[in-house]
Amino acid sequence: MITLRANILNVAVEGMMLVSAFSAIAVGSVSGSALAGFSAGIFGAVITSLVFSIITLRFGAGFIVAGLGINLLAAGGTLFALERWYNSPGGLRPLGFPEIWYVPEGSLSFVPFLGSVLEGQSIIVLLTFLAVPACWIFLYRTPTGSYLRAAGEDENAARSAGINVVRMKMLAVTISGLLSGLAGAQLAMNKLHFFLPNMTAGRGFIGLAATLFGAGHPWATSGAAVLFGFFGALGDRLQAFDIPAQFVLMLPYLVAILALTFSRWRIYVRNKPAKL
Amino acid sequence: MMSAELKGSLNALIAPIGAIVLTMLLGFILVAAISDEPVLAYRELMFANFDSLSNFAMFLNRATPLVLISVGITFAFRAGVFNVGGEGQLFAGAITTTVVGIAFATLPAMILFPFAVISGIAAGAAVGWVPGILKVKLGVDEVVVTLMLNTIVLLFTSYLVNQVIRDTTAYGAVSWELPEHIWLPSIPGIPDATSGFMIAVVLSLASWVVLFRTQWGAEVRSSGTNLRYAEAVGIAAGKRVITAMLIAGGFAGFAGSLYVLGIGHRFEQNFSPEYGLIALTCALLARVNPIASLFTALYYALMLNGAAYMQISTEVPRSLVILLTGLLVLLMTARLARKDTNTQTFDAF
């Protein structure tokens, strides 16, 4: 999301999530510490995002192609590691994985409604809720944030104003790596405690759609993401009824296309020259 | 003059070949680190495809969809549309041909065969048309639309194959078998190699002629390079872009259609090891040239099948190839962009 503001379509979040999920589980199971696993997850994703930004910004590779390449690399690399070191191409399920911290009951009772929802969720969920306003503050209320947006809006203008565009873009990709690391760690560590090849299952792409849907604005984007997440969860529930699961699973993607089309259509109508 | 032109095309060759060589070298180091027999592993990876006629047939079968999709993607790329939707278009073609073939199984082959193929192509083209028209009319980002459409089409085929045309006697998500009289014959002399491969070769050559030696092709390419300029000189650029997407979708749909008619003889939900994405890589590696795409697709088919042989004889994991593919994509784009910063067609993203 941050990356979009720097005018980068970050397709690589999928790969970053995967790397994060894998390293979180691998390190967590070896060290027996949830904190170590969690930090390894974040670390893995940030490293991946650094590779991504070096390749694209230093060597000028196209963002989409390089992003797809990163995704392939992540999928292949994690699968390769699974087959090689754990001898189980089906997935990695360590015995006795340490629990991550959950928000203890009653600790958030001073927050109306939301507090009781968050209780019992993993600490990562809480972090996510904090990340949204943090992003907003960063993008709109700090000098660095506004440089970053400027670099995305008009590269040349920003450069002539003395902003280091490459550094800004790098920062954007790294932050996005950090956040997708959170996502990957949550996916693997919360309740499941295992890693499956391709377990991210397109979540990165849905996130991308949410970003475009929210036009790169933190609040709108997280709103869209919650909506898509709702559709995903709805899909899991509706499978119990007669509606084929596949149709329900399609919903977030369909909504994404329609929403994108609609938002572009509105701009198109607005910009149409008035009739004389 | 001549030598300059020769030098240019040589340069165009050096970058992708350099990327391939570098990737293979890195892969070799990786294999050497985990296996006692790296040389054997690499021999299997590269040459086991030619060990027997049946291996060779499987290699051709693997290459056929790749060639078709990547040649189709060439049209889209040349028209300036970053078509990531090969996978969805492929699935659309495959499922439509299957449904038509099963639903009208009693029709004679003379009618049913063209009907099944054409509806497969049409389905692929329709899936390609959506991002094309959205991009031209409203400026909706085609990458996102094609990515989303891939998932939608895949889910839809999964519904059809699981709930509607599922072969209840078989294990896994596969459809009923197609009637035998519309199966595509194999290449004479190579049993089990689909003759679809020959069609793919012919089409890749024809595509080169169309794109680079006809006025229509020139118009498509100029629309892709600069839409406004093309429109200013009187080319119906939007139309050309949409047609190019129809062709790209049609090629991928055709690939799916030929797959079920010539190779699978039924629709299998997991028949594609990400053909769409690999074909995209092929097209890029070939610098968006249809004839070069033919060769890069063959190279990838070699690697994909070779990986299986490698795993059998040396226990080097097959996923090595996915890893190498990712590496190759990164190296290739990085080198490509560094060499000629003026001619990047896809740097817009």
Side-chain angles (χ1 to χ4, degrees):
Chain A
M1 189 271 301
I2 297 252
T3 44
L4 191 79
R5 264 304 153 103
N7 199 13
I8 303 171
L9 192 57
N10 190 356
V11 194
V13 280
E14 185 84 13
M16 295 177 190
M17 273 168 75
L18 208 56
V19 170
S20 153
F22 178 73
S23 34
I25 289 298
V27 173
S29 67
V30 170
S31 66
S33 143
L35 181 64
F38 178 66
S39 3
I42 305 273
F43 184 70
V46 170
I47 291 291
T48 319
S49 71
L50 277 181
V51 172
F52 179 62
S53 56
I54 286 172
I55 292 244
T56 48
L57 298 170
R58 176 74 182 75
F59 292 104
F63 284 105
I64 290 182
V65 188
L68 292 174
I70 289 273
N71 289 349
L72 273 175
L73 204 62
T78 49
L79 194 59
F80 187 77
L82 275 183
E83 287 177 348
R84 183 64 207 164
W85 286 296
Y86 299 98
N87 232 334
S88 61
L92 178 59
R93 180 194 282 274
L95 299 166
F97 188 80
E99 284 286 326
I100 42 171
W101 309 297
Y102 292 98
V103 181
E105 296 281 332
S107 60
L108 285 168
S109 47
F110 57 90
V111 191
F113 180 65
L114 264 184
S116 58
V117 178
L118 283 174
E119 281 166 20
Q121 295 278 17
S122 79
I123 194 100
I124 304 177
V125 176
L126 187 67
L127 280 177
T128 312
F129 271 86
L130 295 178
V132 179
C135 283
W136 181 77
I137 292 171
F138 170 70
L139 274 176
Y140 294 95
R141 289 291 180 271
T142 64
T144 324
S146 60
Y147 292 160
L148 196 144
R149 283 183 295 134
E153 237 148 68
D154 193 328
E155 204 168 302
N156 293 326
R159 191 173 292 130
S160 57
I163 297 172
N164 188 336
V165 174
V166 170
R167 191 183 292 162
M168 280 305 137
K169 291 198 167 180
M170 224 151 170
L171 179 69
V173 174
T174 312
I175 294 178
S176 130
L178 195 79
L179 291 178
S180 46
L182 267 183
Q186 156 78 3
L187 197 61
M189 294 177 69
N190 185 25
K191 308 261 162 67
L192 292 174
H193 300 161
F194 58 80
F195 174 82
L196 295 171
N198 284 329
M199 73 185 296
T200 47
R203 280 190 180 80
F205 290 136
I206 298 194
L208 205 61
T211 312
L212 290 161
F213 193 23
H217 192 283
W219 293 109
T221 298
S222 53
V226 169
L227 192 72
F228 289 166
F230 171 73
F231 276 119
L234 191 72
D236 296 340
R237 295 274 179 284
L238 282 180
Q239 287 180 18
F241 298 98
D242 267 351
I243 308 164
Q246 290 91 345
F247 287 118
V248 187
L249 291 177
M250 260 180 230
L251 275 177
Y253 300 95
L254 268 176
V255 170
I257 292 185
L258 290 178
L260 267 180
T261 312
F262 182 68
S263 66
R264 293 298 311 188
W265 180 72
R266 249 182 23 210
I267 297 171
Y268 174 77
V269 169
R270 197 189 307 149
N271 291 351
K272 216 154 65 179
K275 281 206 183 89
L276 290 173
Chain B
M1 258 323 266
M2 190 57 216
S3 75
E5 201 171 84
L6 201 70
K7 216 175 160 191
S9 55
L10 258 179
N11 270 341
L13 271 178
I14 285 171
I17 289 178
I20 290 181
V21 170
L22 196 57
T23 310
M24 297 307 274
L25 267 178
L26 285 172
F28 189 77
I29 294 171
L30 199 61
V31 171
I34 62 166
S35 165
D36 305 331
E37 307 165 291
V39 180
L40 175 68
Y42 251 53
R43 197 213 74 88
E44 294 288 320
L45 182 64
M46 306 292 282
F47 301 113
N49 285 293
F50 308 104
D51 280 356
S52 72
L53 210 54
S54 70
N55 282 8
F56 188 62
M58 274 162 71
F59 160 62
L60 291 184
N61 286 349
R62 183 69 89 185
T64 306
L66 283 181
V67 174
L68 281 171
I69 304 173
S70 61
V71 169
I73 286 178
T74 309
F75 279 91
F77 280 6
R78 286 285 174 187
V81 184
F82 201 90
N83 175 21
V84 202
E87 192 82 353
Q89 292 147 15
L90 170 82
F91 271 72
I95 195 78
T96 313
T97 300
T98 314
V99 169
V100 168
I102 291 173
F104 303 100
T106 46
L107 288 177
M110 281 294 286
I111 303 168
L112 183 56
F113 185 79
F115 182 32
V117 170
I118 289 169
S119 52
I121 295 175
V127 175
W129 176 79
V130 174
I133 191 122
L134 285 181
K135 181 186 171 71
V136 170
K137 296 280 179 218
L138 298 172
V140 180
D141 189 284
E142 75 274 19
V143 177
V144 184
V145 177
T146 43
L147 278 174
M148 301 288 144
L149 272 178
N150 280 350
T151 318
I152 294 176
V153 173
L154 255 69
L155 284 169
F156 189 66
T157 59
S158 148
Y159 160 71
L160 283 178
V161 80
N162 277 304
Q163 267 99 325
V164 183
I165 50 169
R166 170 149 187 189
D167 181 351
T168 39
T169 58
Y171 177 75
V174 295
S175 76
W176 296 103
E177 223 167 49
L178 287 169
E180 205 166 340
H181 61 276
I182 58 165
W183 288 8
L184 206 62
S186 51
I187 299 177
I190 316 173
D192 295 330
T194 174
S195 45
F197 179 72
M198 299 195 294
I199 303 176
V201 172
V202 172
L203 278 177
S204 86
L205 301 180
S207 300
W208 184 82
V209 174
V210 169
L211 267 176
F212 293 97
R213 288 292 180 270
T214 65
Q215 192 191 344
W216 183 86
E219 288 181 5
V220 166
R221 284 182 293 128
S222 65
S223 315
T225 325
N226 192 335
L227 197 78
R228 283 214 182 131
Y229 174 77
E231 254 163 9
V233 296
I235 297 170
K239 223 182 213 168
R240 295 286 173 277
V241 171
I242 293 174
T243 320
M245 272 310 282
L246 280 176
I247 294 176
F251 265 80
F254 191 42
S257 183
L258 285 184
Y259 180 88
V260 291
L261 289 172
I263 303 169
H265 303 307
R266 56 168 66 177
F267 181 85
E268 299 136 281
Q269 183 61 34
N270 56 356
F271 78 97
S272 157
E274 294 262 20
Y275 279 131
L277 194 56
I278 298 172
L280 179 114
T281 318
C282 295
L284 284 174
L285 196 58
R287 297 199 148 194
V288 207
N289 179 315
I291 296 179
S293 296
L294 175 63
F295 290 102
T296 49
L298 284 172
Y299 164 74
Y300 263 104
L302 196 79
M303 294 274 286
L304 281 174
N305 278 9
Y309 305 125
M310 178 178 74
Q311 186 167 29
I312 292 165
S313 51
T314 61
E315 297 198 333
V316 174
R318 194 202 314 216
S319 46
L320 175 76
V321 166
I322 310 178
L323 203 152
L324 288 186
T325 310
L327 208 59
L328 182 58
V329 174
L330 292 180
L331 286 175
M332 173 188 79
T333 49
R335 288 191 60 107
L336 201 141
R338 209 171 24 162
K339 281 237 158 129
D340 42 4
T341 31
N342 302 324
T343 55
Q344 302 170 32
T345 328
F346 308 109
D347 197 46
F349 303 100

